[in-house]
Amino acid sequence: MRNIEPDDRLTALRDQLARLGAFRRSSAPHPHPPSPAFPERWTRGVLHDLYAATPADAVAVNAFGLGAGLQAADGGIVVWGLHEMMGWEAGRPHGPGLHEMGLAPSDVLLVRAPDIQTLLIIGEEALRTPAVGAVLLSAWGEAKALSLTASRRLALAAETGGGTLFLARAGAAPAPSAAETRWAVQAAASTPLEGGAPGRPSFSATLLRRRGGGEQRTWTLEWDRDARSFCEPTPLSGAVVPMAAQRSAEAWDKHGRHVA
């Protein structure tokens, strides 16, 4: 995983993206078709909002976003813009952990953003590059800069460049945006492997809203690192609930608002 984090990070990012510009993402069909367990197809050229169900689910929403980004990238690079506040609150990316998700160093370009304004610029710059298949922007907390206007700019950049954008947020309530879909994500029970080894990353993903309408629905999913796909949990006994999932679950209405 390439890492950009000097003070002139935007210049470094533009230089890196320019070097990638000669490579064009394949126009072939999606290499990871939806599975029966999770039929969602991540459409190119749109924005998807991902919200951590609770602040404790920040790691889960970022992991879910990385998995979705890998699926949507169609062989292209995934650019991960990480708000530094997210790193302070939820922990910085851990190499061995990313490897366990099936991520190779060549898959992801990580760019740290000191503030939300920089994070938004990273997203727009990355989405203009043909080699970039997907962008994950991870932001912590409520921020005026993450406005409806800003989301429209991001959605337009995604539409223009053809990449898929995932905006992962923790410590924030769902807000109006130009996103195609809006999700609430939280950690779910993990099924231990043989010998009591830790199980696959597990998620509860609730579709809160889809542009054009649709029913709210929740999936419980595991991430299969070898297939690089979300799959149905293995039906074994002895499931272990991760710490993030031990917090009380919050209810959401059809607009993505918390319900007491």
Side-chain angles (χ1 to χ4, degrees):
M1 179 173 65
R2 286 156 290 180
N3 192 342
I4 296 177
E5 54 178 334
D7 291 338
D8 58 343
R9 68 197 75 200
L10 288 178
T11 299
L13 172 64
R14 292 180 180 122
D15 290 343
Q16 181 71 58
L17 292 175
R19 287 193 289 272
L20 293 172
F23 170 82
R24 285 195 167 268
R25 185 175 59 251
S26 170
S27 59
H30 200 298
H32 300 291
S35 69
F38 186 53
E40 185 68 23
R41 182 180 292 275
W42 303 114
T43 308
R44 284 180 179 172
V46 299
L47 163 64
H48 300 278
D49 280 342
L50 311 176
Y51 283 89
T54 73
D57 293 301
V59 173
V61 78
N62 286 324
F64 185 85
L66 279 175
L70 281 173
Q71 286 191 304
D74 287 353
I77 297 296
V78 177
V79 174
W80 184 9
L82 181 65
H83 183 202
E84 287 188 347
M85 182 64 74
M86 176 71 86
W88 295 336
E89 295 288 345
R92 294 193 171 189
H94 182 54
L98 295 175
H99 176 73
E100 285 301 314
M101 283 197 67
L103 281 163
S106 59
D107 291 329
V108 179
L109 177 63
L110 174 65
V111 189
R112 302 185 192 279
D115 50 53
I116 296 297
Q117 289 82 358
T118 303
L119 188 71
L120 295 174
I121 294 172
I122 289 169
E124 290 192 45
E125 292 282 347
L127 287 166
R128 295 192 184 104
T129 305
V132 174
V135 175
L136 171 63
L137 299 181
S138 298
W140 180 275
E142 304 287 357
K144 290 183 179 180
L146 287 171
S147 62
L148 178 59
T149 299
S151 75
R152 286 172 175 163
R153 287 178 59 91
L154 289 171
L156 180 60
E159 181 181 1
T160 301
T164 306
L165 175 61
F166 298 91
L167 178 57
R169 301 186 62 183
S177 78
E180 181 73 15
T181 62
R182 179 185 301 153
W183 298 79
V185 180
Q186 61 187 136
S190 176
T191 303
L193 302 178
E194 292 183 6
R200 293 169 171 170
S202 299
F203 311 91
S204 174
T206 299
L207 177 61
L208 300 173
R209 179 183 179 276
R210 183 188 298 278
R211 186 176 294 276
E215 291 186 13
Q216 184 178 108
R217 182 178 172 185
T218 298
W219 288 269
T220 300
L221 304 164
E222 290 183 345
W223 175 253
D224 184 337
R225 56 166 290 179
D226 296 320
R228 289 190 170 191
S229 178
F230 294 104
C231 61
E232 191 172 4
T234 305
L236 295 177
S237 61
V240 177
V241 180
M243 289 298 295
Q246 292 182 15
R247 302 292 184 92
S248 58
E250 297 187 38
W252 307 76
D253 67 13
K254 66 180 180 180
H255 302 293
R257 296 186 294 249
H258 294 285
V259 177

CSV table of all heavy atoms in Angstrom, one decimal, residues 33-55:
chain,number,residue,atom,x,y,z
A,33,PRO,N,-19.2,-10.3,-9.6
A,33,PRO,CA,-20.6,-10.1,-9.6
A,33,PRO,C,-21.2,-10.4,-8.2
A,33,PRO,O,-20.6,-11.1,-7.4
A,33,PRO,CB,-21.1,-11.2,-10.6
A,33,PRO,CG,-19.9,-12.2,-10.6
A,33,PRO,CD,-18.7,-11.4,-10.4
A,34,PRO,N,-22.3,-9.7,-7.9
A,34,PRO,CA,-22.9,-9.9,-6.6
A,34,PRO,C,-23.2,-11.3,-6.3
A,34,PRO,O,-23.6,-12.1,-7.2
A,34,PRO,CB,-24.2,-9.1,-6.7
A,34,PRO,CG,-24.0,-8.1,-7.8
A,34,PRO,CD,-23.1,-8.8,-8.8
A,35,SER,N,-23.1,-11.7,-5.1
A,35,SER,CA,-23.4,-13.1,-4.7
A,35,SER,C,-24.9,-13.1,-4.2
A,35,SER,O,-25.5,-12.1,-3.9
A,35,SER,CB,-22.5,-13.5,-3.5
A,35,SER,OG,-22.8,-12.8,-2.3
A,36,PRO,N,-25.4,-14.3,-4.1
A,36,PRO,CA,-26.8,-14.4,-3.6
A,36,PRO,C,-27.0,-13.9,-2.2
A,36,PRO,O,-28.0,-13.4,-1.9
A,36,PRO,CB,-27.1,-15.9,-3.7
A,36,PRO,CG,-26.2,-16.5,-4.7
A,36,PRO,CD,-24.9,-15.6,-4.6
A,37,ALA,N,-25.9,-14.0,-1.4
A,37,ALA,CA,-25.9,-13.5,-0.1
A,37,ALA,C,-26.0,-11.9,0.0
A,37,ALA,O,-26.5,-11.3,0.9
A,37,ALA,CB,-24.7,-13.9,0.7
A,38,PHE,N,-25.4,-11.3,-1.1
A,38,PHE,CA,-25.4,-9.8,-1.1
A,38,PHE,C,-25.5,-9.4,-2.6
A,38,PHE,O,-24.5,-9.2,-3.2
A,38,PHE,CB,-24.1,-9.3,-0.5
A,38,PHE,CG,-24.1,-7.8,-0.3
A,38,PHE,CD1,-25.1,-7.1,0.3
A,38,PHE,CD2,-23.0,-7.1,-0.8
A,38,PHE,CE1,-25.1,-5.7,0.4
A,38,PHE,CE2,-22.9,-5.7,-0.7
A,38,PHE,CZ,-24.0,-5.0,0.0
A,39,PRO,N,-26.7,-9.2,-3.1
A,39,PRO,CA,-26.9,-8.9,-4.5
A,39,PRO,C,-26.5,-7.5,-4.9
A,39,PRO,O,-26.7,-7.2,-6.1
A,39,PRO,CB,-28.4,-9.2,-4.7
A,39,PRO,CG,-29.0,-8.9,-3.4
A,39,PRO,CD,-28.0,-9.3,-2.4
A,40,GLU,N,-26.1,-6.7,-4.0
A,40,GLU,CA,-25.8,-5.3,-4.4
A,40,GLU,C,-24.7,-5.2,-5.4
A,40,GLU,O,-23.6,-5.8,-5.3
A,40,GLU,CB,-25.4,-4.5,-3.1
A,40,GLU,CG,-25.2,-3.0,-3.4
A,40,GLU,CD,-26.5,-2.3,-3.7
A,40,GLU,OE1,-27.5,-2.8,-3.4
A,40,GLU,OE2,-26.4,-1.2,-4.3
A,41,ARG,N,-24.9,-4.5,-6.5
A,41,ARG,CA,-23.9,-4.2,-7.5
A,41,ARG,C,-23.5,-2.8,-7.4
A,41,ARG,O,-24.3,-1.8,-7.5
A,41,ARG,CB,-24.4,-4.5,-8.9
A,41,ARG,CG,-23.4,-4.3,-10.0
A,41,ARG,CD,-24.0,-4.6,-11.4
A,41,ARG,NE,-24.3,-6.0,-11.5
A,41,ARG,CZ,-23.5,-6.9,-11.9
A,41,ARG,NH1,-22.2,-6.6,-12.2
A,41,ARG,NH2,-23.8,-8.2,-12.0
A,42,TRP,N,-22.2,-2.5,-7.1
A,42,TRP,CA,-21.7,-1.2,-7.0
A,42,TRP,C,-21.5,-0.5,-8.3
A,42,TRP,O,-20.5,-0.7,-9.1
A,42,TRP,CB,-20.3,-1.2,-6.2
A,42,TRP,CG,-20.4,-1.9,-4.9
A,42,TRP,CD1,-19.8,-3.0,-4.5
A,42,TRP,CD2,-21.1,-1.4,-3.7
A,42,TRP,NE1,-20.1,-3.3,-3.2
A,42,TRP,CE2,-20.9,-2.4,-2.7
A,42,TRP,CE3,-22.0,-0.3,-3.5
A,42,TRP,CZ2,-21.5,-2.3,-1.4
A,42,TRP,CZ3,-22.5,-0.2,-2.2
A,42,TRP,CH2,-22.3,-1.2,-1.2
A,43,THR,N,-22.5,0.3,-8.7
A,43,THR,CA,-22.5,1.0,-10.0
A,43,THR,C,-21.4,2.0,-10.1
A,43,THR,O,-21.0,2.7,-9.2
A,43,THR,CB,-23.8,1.7,-10.2
A,43,THR,OG1,-24.9,0.8,-9.9
A,43,THR,CG2,-24.0,2.2,-11.6
A,44,ARG,N,-20.7,2.0,-11.3
A,44,ARG,CA,-19.7,2.9,-11.6
A,44,ARG,C,-20.2,4.4,-11.6
A,44,ARG,O,-21.4,4.6,-12.0
A,44,ARG,CB,-19.0,2.6,-12.9
A,44,ARG,CG,-18.0,1.4,-12.9
A,44,ARG,CD,-17.4,1.3,-14.2
A,44,ARG,NE,-16.5,0.2,-14.3
A,44,ARG,CZ,-16.0,-0.3,-15.4
A,44,ARG,NH1,-16.3,0.3,-16.6
A,44,ARG,NH2,-15.1,-1.3,-15.4
A,45,GLY,N,-19.4,5.3,-11.3
A,45,GLY,CA,-19.7,6.7,-11.6
A,45,GLY,C,-20.7,7.3,-10.6
A,45,GLY,O,-21.3,8.3,-11.0
A,46,VAL,N,-20.8,6.8,-9.4
A,46,VAL,CA,-21.8,7.3,-8.5
A,46,VAL,C,-21.2,7.4,-7.1
A,46,VAL,O,-20.1,6.8,-6.8
A,46,VAL,CB,-23.1,6.5,-8.4
A,46,VAL,CG1,-23.8,6.5,-9.8
A,46,VAL,CG2,-22.8,5.1,-7.9
A,47,LEU,N,-21.9,8.1,-6.2
A,47,LEU,CA,-21.4,8.2,-4.8
A,47,LEU,C,-22.3,7.3,-3.9
A,47,LEU,O,-23.5,7.3,-4.1
A,47,LEU,CB,-21.6,9.7,-4.4
A,47,LEU,CG,-21.6,10.0,-2.9
A,47,LEU,CD1,-20.3,9.6,-2.2
A,47,LEU,CD2,-21.9,11.5,-2.7
A,48,HIS,N,-21.7,6.6,-3.0
A,48,HIS,CA,-22.4,5.8,-2.0
A,48,HIS,C,-22.0,6.3,-0.6
A,48,HIS,O,-20.8,6.4,-0.3
A,48,HIS,CB,-22.0,4.3,-2.1
A,48,HIS,CG,-22.4,3.7,-3.4
A,48,HIS,ND1,-23.7,3.3,-3.7
A,48,HIS,CD2,-21.6,3.5,-4.5
A,48,HIS,CE1,-23.7,2.8,-4.9
A,48,HIS,NE2,-22.4,2.9,-5.4
A,49,ASP,N,-23.0,6.6,0.3
A,49,ASP,CA,-22.7,7.1,1.6
A,49,ASP,C,-22.7,5.9,2.6
A,49,ASP,O,-23.7,5.1,2.5
A,49,ASP,CB,-23.8,8.1,2.1
A,49,ASP,CG,-23.6,9.5,1.6
A,49,ASP,OD1,-22.4,9.8,1.2
A,49,ASP,OD2,-24.5,10.3,1.6
A,50,LEU,N,-21.7,5.8,3.4
A,50,LEU,CA,-21.6,4.7,4.4
A,50,LEU,C,-21.4,5.3,5.8
A,50,LEU,O,-20.5,6.1,6.0
A,50,LEU,CB,-20.3,3.8,4.1
A,50,LEU,CG,-20.1,3.3,2.7
A,50,LEU,CD1,-18.8,2.5,2.6
A,50,LEU,CD2,-21.3,2.4,2.3
A,51,TYR,N,-22.4,5.1,6.7
A,51,TYR,CA,-22.3,5.7,8.0
A,51,TYR,C,-22.1,4.5,9.0
A,51,TYR,O,-22.7,3.5,9.0
A,51,TYR,CB,-23.6,6.4,8.3
A,51,TYR,CG,-23.8,7.7,7.7
A,51,TYR,CD1,-24.4,7.8,6.4
A,51,TYR,CD2,-23.4,8.9,8.3
A,51,TYR,CE1,-24.5,9.1,5.8
A,51,TYR,CE2,-23.5,10.1,7.8
A,51,TYR,CZ,-24.1,10.2,6.5
A,51,TYR,OH,-24.2,11.4,5.9
A,52,ALA,N,-21.1,4.8,10.0
A,52,ALA,CA,-21.0,3.9,11.1
A,52,ALA,C,-22.2,4.0,12.0
A,52,ALA,O,-22.6,5.1,12.3
A,52,ALA,CB,-19.7,4.3,11.9
A,53,ALA,N,-22.8,2.9,12.3
A,53,ALA,CA,-24.0,2.9,13.1
A,53,ALA,C,-23.8,3.6,14.5
A,53,ALA,O,-24.6,4.2,15.0
A,53,ALA,CB,-24.5,1.5,13.3
A,54,THR,N,-22.6,3.4,15.1
A,54,THR,CA,-22.1,4.0,16.3
A,54,THR,C,-20.7,4.4,16.1
A,54,THR,O,-20.0,3.9,15.2
A,54,THR,CB,-22.2,3.1,17.5
A,54,THR,OG1,-21.2,2.1,17.5
A,54,THR,CG2,-23.6,2.4,17.6
A,55,PRO,N,-20.2,5.4,16.9
A,55,PRO,CA,-18.8,5.7,16.8
A,55,PRO,C,-17.8,4.5,16.9
A,55,PRO,O,-16.8,4.5,16.3
A,55,PRO,CB,-18.5,6.8,17.9
A,55,PRO,CG,-19.9,7.4,18.0
A,55,PRO,CD,-20.9,6.3,17.8
